[in-house]
Amino acid sequence: PKPLIGMADVQQLLQMAAALNLKKWAALHGETEEMLAQRFLKARKGRLADAMAMLEADIKWREAEEIDKLASRSVKDICNLDESVMQHYLPCWIDGNDKLGRTVMYTAYGNIEVDTLIKKGSSVEKILMMHTYKVECCLQKCRERAESGLPYVGTICSIVDAKGWGLRLATRRAMRYVKGMVDRDEAHYPERLARLYIVNCPPALVTAYKMIRSWMDPVTAEKIQLLGPPEEWRPVLLQAIDADQLCTLYGGQRPPPSWVQQPADPSAPAVGILLPPPTDTRVSVSARSTFTLPFSLERDGLSLSWAYRTDGGDIKFSVSYFPPGVAAEGSGKVLVEPRKANSDVSEVEDSLPNCAAGTYVLTWDNSYSILTSKTLHYRVETAKVDDVEEEPAA
């Protein structure tokens, strides 16, 4: 049974927390001090001492991280990456309200690539702060709605699109990010999540969710609904959200942001988020030939990452190293042994951390193919190791 939180309990908690300046933090989201205190009491099942400890830890975190200024910061400042990069690898936006007035937030979980964001210069902690930024923006919308004269509703309806998600995205870093979100939301945003719909949910995510659910408070877990293909989620979403408030990608009438690519056929049913592909360089590698790409690093301490895919069949790949002052010719020090991968089936990604200065020669070898040329799509990037969070040793 849910705990009965009376006004006497709320007032007692407010007296205990008199030194915490709750008025400032309540006003930031458009709620009263009483509403704030009640949320924390509910999260701790009415236990005053536990609610006070939770509240103290929350305010200490908010002051230290300057959360009151977070919604006004730039994406680049928060996560060390351009907004366009975050839109591609961590697509999320806020728009509309459900039938009960709750702010709606959309996230394309199937497109989230935590490891790629880290390779590009971010970290798990920075990406978590980006999640916090989105939640703060949601709560700012709640305040603005109340300021317009509508009743205050301080909860969020979240739609998570799992289309495209696979075990390839269930890396240790990605799972640390997911666990970090769960922990942060429960510690600092109690009673904020109203409903979470996970749509286009593949079987692999159902398996992974069993572990994710174990990290959650049971009350939070009950608010989450896993749904399969469009014929399963469309009626559920339209029952909760009016069509004029629901995104067109999910059976509604509200267009998504301009950076979300629309289906080629406007009459086609929405089945999930389509994002612009990353910018790749394309070359043709003829039969019985190789393509080499010298890549120079001017100083020590950079990481080198690459990704590639092929049309027309697989290809052999290797990386060699030549120190500064040595011509990148002949046989250098082999860092990645020549090997084939199913690059015609899925994109191949890898990296070398903490590289020494010098020239790195990336080679795509199609010399074993007698008749078939291959189309190679590739991208190569560098990042400062200082900005890249390394995976802890096993």
Side-chain angles (χ1 to χ4, degrees):
K2 294 182 179 180
L4 297 175
I5 310 296
M7 283 308 298
D9 297 315
V10 170
Q11 292 301 325
Q12 190 172 349
L13 179 58
L14 288 175
Q15 289 175 11
M16 295 167 65
L20 297 181
N21 194 13
L22 296 186
K23 186 175 182 179
K24 165 190 172 182
W25 296 104
L28 181 67
H29 299 149
E31 62 183 351
T32 65
E33 294 173 79
E34 288 78 11
M35 291 175 181
L36 189 155
Q38 191 171 53
R39 287 193 295 106
F40 280 79
L41 278 166
K42 284 183 177 180
R44 289 297 175 259
K45 309 295 189 288
R47 299 187 296 269
L48 274 166
D50 291 347
M52 181 60 193
M54 183 183 183
L55 197 48
E56 281 184 313
D58 174 64
I59 299 301
K60 182 179 180 180
W61 171 76
R62 289 179 178 278
E63 295 283 5
E65 299 291 344
E66 297 185 311
I67 300 299
D68 54 324
K69 301 176 183 177
L70 184 61
S72 62
R73 289 170 61 188
S74 69
V75 172
K76 176 77 172 180
D77 183 44
I78 294 169
C79 56
N80 198 40
L81 294 172
D82 291 337
E83 187 172 12
S84 60
V85 175
M86 295 304 294
Q87 287 171 343
H88 182 79
Y89 292 105
L90 195 88
C92 177
W93 74 92
I94 303 158
D95 189 38
N97 301 92
D98 71 5
K99 291 181 179 181
L100 296 179
R102 300 177 292 213
T103 301
V104 179
M105 179 165 66
Y106 301 87
T107 307
Y109 190 67
N111 291 92
I112 290 179
E113 296 188 24
V114 173
D115 284 38
T116 300
L117 290 172
I118 292 172
K119 289 176 183 177
K120 289 179 176 292
S122 194
S123 68
V124 170
E125 184 56 37
K126 288 183 175 73
I127 301 168
L128 278 172
M129 192 56 73
M130 190 66 197
H131 166 72
T132 303
Y133 165 83
K134 289 295 185 181
V135 176
E136 287 292 321
C137 288
C138 273
L139 297 176
Q140 193 173 69
K141 292 279 188 182
C142 296
R143 188 195 70 213
E144 291 168 357
R145 184 176 183 275
E147 289 172 348
S148 72
L150 294 169
Y152 178 75
V153 181
T155 51
I156 299 168
C157 174
S158 181
I159 298 173
V160 172
D161 190 344
K163 185 180 182 187
W165 191 90
L167 291 177
R168 64 185 175 82
L169 298 179
T171 64
R172 284 192 291 173
R173 287 166 170 169
M175 298 312 284
R176 280 165 49 207
Y177 166 67
V178 172
K179 188 176 189 305
M181 281 197 300
V182 172
D183 292 344
R184 183 165 296 189
D185 288 353
E186 292 190 350
H188 303 295
Y189 298 97
E191 301 297 316
R192 289 301 196 186
L193 179 66
R195 294 293 298 174
L196 193 161
Y197 302 99
I198 304 179
V199 303
N200 297 316
C201 192
L205 184 56
V206 175
T207 301
Y209 179 70
K210 293 177 182 177
M211 179 174 66
I212 296 169
R213 187 182 175 100
S214 70
W215 301 332
M216 296 179 181
D217 181 279
V219 174
T220 301
E222 288 301 318
K223 299 174 181 178
I224 299 173
Q225 188 172 359
L226 273 62
L227 300 165
E231 57 269 23
E232 188 175 328
W233 53 252
R234 190 176 287 111
V236 174
L237 295 184
L238 285 170
Q239 185 176 15
I241 307 170
D242 287 327
D244 64 348
Q245 293 292 309
L246 182 63
C247 180
T248 54
L249 293 171
Y250 301 102
Q253 301 167 1
R254 212 172 179 93
S258 58
W259 52 265
V260 176
Q261 190 175 0
Q262 297 296 300
D265 180 2
S267 65
V271 294
I273 295 172
L274 300 172
L275 294 165
T279 303
D280 291 344
T281 300
R282 184 175 67 178
V283 297
S284 178
V285 186
S286 302
R288 303 187 184 187
S289 69
T290 61
F291 170 69
T292 59
L293 178 69
F295 203 93
S296 296
L297 299 184
E298 300 297 328
R299 61 183 179 84
D300 297 341
L302 297 176
S303 70
L304 178 68
S305 62
W306 57 85
Y308 66 92
R309 58 188 174 86
T310 51
D311 299 330
D314 57 18
I315 201 164
K316 193 179 291 185
F317 176 77
S318 63
V319 180
S320 298
Y321 169 71
F322 298 84
V326 177
E329 300 173 354
S331 300
K333 180 181 179 181
V334 178
L335 301 180
V336 176
E337 294 286 346
R339 62 175 180 264
K340 290 183 186 179
N342 293 325
S343 54
D344 55 333
V345 176
S346 61
E347 187 173 73
V348 179
E349 291 184 275
D350 209 343
S351 64
L352 293 171
N354 201 17
C355 295
T359 301
Y360 293 75
V361 178
L362 287 69
T363 301
W364 286 270
D365 183 359
N366 194 36
S367 61
Y368 60 88
S369 181
I370 299 174
L371 299 174
T372 307
S373 63
K374 314 286 171 61
T375 300
L376 170 68
H377 309 259
Y378 72 88
R379 59 186 182 277
V380 181
E381 298 165 331
T382 62
K384 292 188 295 183
V385 172
D386 289 342
D387 292 333
V388 177
E389 179 173 328
E390 290 300 317
E391 195 69 24

